[in-house]
Amino acid sequence: MIRSELNPEVLTSAPRADAPFTTDAALVTEAAAGDRRAIAEIWVRYRNLVRSVLLATLGFDQDIDDLIQEVFLGLFRAVGQVRDGAALPAILSRIAVRRAGMALRKRRVRALTSLLPWTQLPEVEVAPPDFDDRLALTTLYGLLDRVKQRARLAFLLHHVHGMDANDVADALGVSLATAKRDIADGRKRLIQLARGEPRLRRFLPPVQEDE
């Protein structure tokens, strides 16, 4: 049985190297049975994804770490009801989107146009190899707050976190056609913005006639 609160020792402890959690489905099954290693492994695998979704919606927030734990707590409370463990990234993203919406309503945030620059989003495990690339990465994330919220989320989930369009649709609670359109819109808008940034031009595809 999943406990009503997250134990920091469980979350910060590294799973054993021989832990048999090769798939998300196996993780969900063992977590539902109360396996502490499975709970810790879910946290390790997907905390950056959850942070990215929350920051994409809320911008930088001093309570972001608490919100991340609330998202995982929401998952663990209902993990026994998860039918498709392979959909774990989409499930966590959906919970994060809903939690972010609750936070926005609670704090009476008028709009998302005042998001701070995304210099802290998402966490990148491997740093770019040189200073110019780091500047380019910072510039890129600084442009993301100028992309509409849903298109930005769709772009991140698909291009940064590797979700397919079906999982993006599930995470955002929209149809597959809408998810595909949002992914395309987010990419198109970001490319348009990036063409005005000298540091990013070398990473961009050739200009198309319809752009």
Side-chain angles (χ1 to χ4, degrees):
M1 181 176 180
I2 301 301
R3 300 180 64 177
S4 61
E5 61 181 17
L6 297 181
N7 185 334
E9 293 183 359
V10 173
L11 298 182
T12 57
S13 60
R16 282 184 356 196
D18 62 346
F21 306 129
T22 56
T23 67
D24 286 344
L27 273 177
V28 168
T29 298
E30 296 305 317
D35 190 312
R36 291 162 60 94
R37 293 176 301 151
I39 294 172
E41 177 65 16
I42 291 174
W43 171 266
V44 169
R45 285 189 190 184
Y46 293 114
R47 59 187 173 187
N48 285 347
L49 167 64
V50 170
R51 177 182 291 274
S52 179
V53 172
L54 289 172
L55 287 173
T57 309
L58 297 171
F60 180 74
D61 190 289
Q62 63 180 0
D63 297 324
I64 201 72
D65 289 334
D66 290 338
L67 291 171
I68 292 170
Q69 290 208 27
E70 288 177 13
V71 169
F72 281 96
L73 181 57
L75 170 71
F76 295 144
R77 281 173 172 165
V79 70
Q81 302 173 27
V82 175
R83 296 180 179 179
D84 182 8
L88 186 56
I91 292 170
L92 280 167
S93 297
R94 185 168 62 247
I95 296 172
V97 169
R98 291 175 179 172
R99 182 63 63 179
M102 292 171 60
L104 286 173
R105 288 191 295 272
K106 181 178 179 181
R107 293 159 194 166
R108 299 180 181 179
V109 176
R110 293 183 305 170
L112 295 171
T113 55
S114 61
L115 292 177
L116 296 177
W118 285 22
T119 54
Q120 301 184 33
L121 175 67
E123 293 182 1
V124 180
E125 295 181 359
V126 180
D130 58 47
F131 184 68
D132 286 342
D133 282 355
R134 286 196 294 271
L135 286 177
L137 186 62
T138 299
T139 301
L140 175 64
Y141 290 136
L143 295 178
L144 282 170
D145 65 338
R146 297 168 60 186
V147 178
K148 290 182 178 179
Q149 178 196 358
R150 201 174 68 197
R152 179 172 65 238
L153 280 169
F155 174 86
L156 282 171
L157 292 176
H158 181 67
H159 289 288
V160 176
H161 295 289
M163 288 188 187
D164 63 26
N166 284 294
D167 285 342
V168 172
D170 188 23
L172 299 182
V174 298
S175 68
L176 177 59
T178 298
K180 289 180 177 179
R181 185 168 59 250
D182 288 339
I183 292 169
D185 288 349
R187 181 179 183 275
K188 182 177 180 179
R189 176 58 175 157
L190 189 58
I191 289 175
Q192 289 174 340
L193 293 170
R195 292 203 186 282
E197 295 290 340
R199 292 193 184 98
L200 298 178
R201 288 174 185 164
R202 62 191 172 102
F203 300 104
L204 297 176
V207 177
Q208 301 296 320
E209 291 184 1
D210 60 353
E211 294 183 9

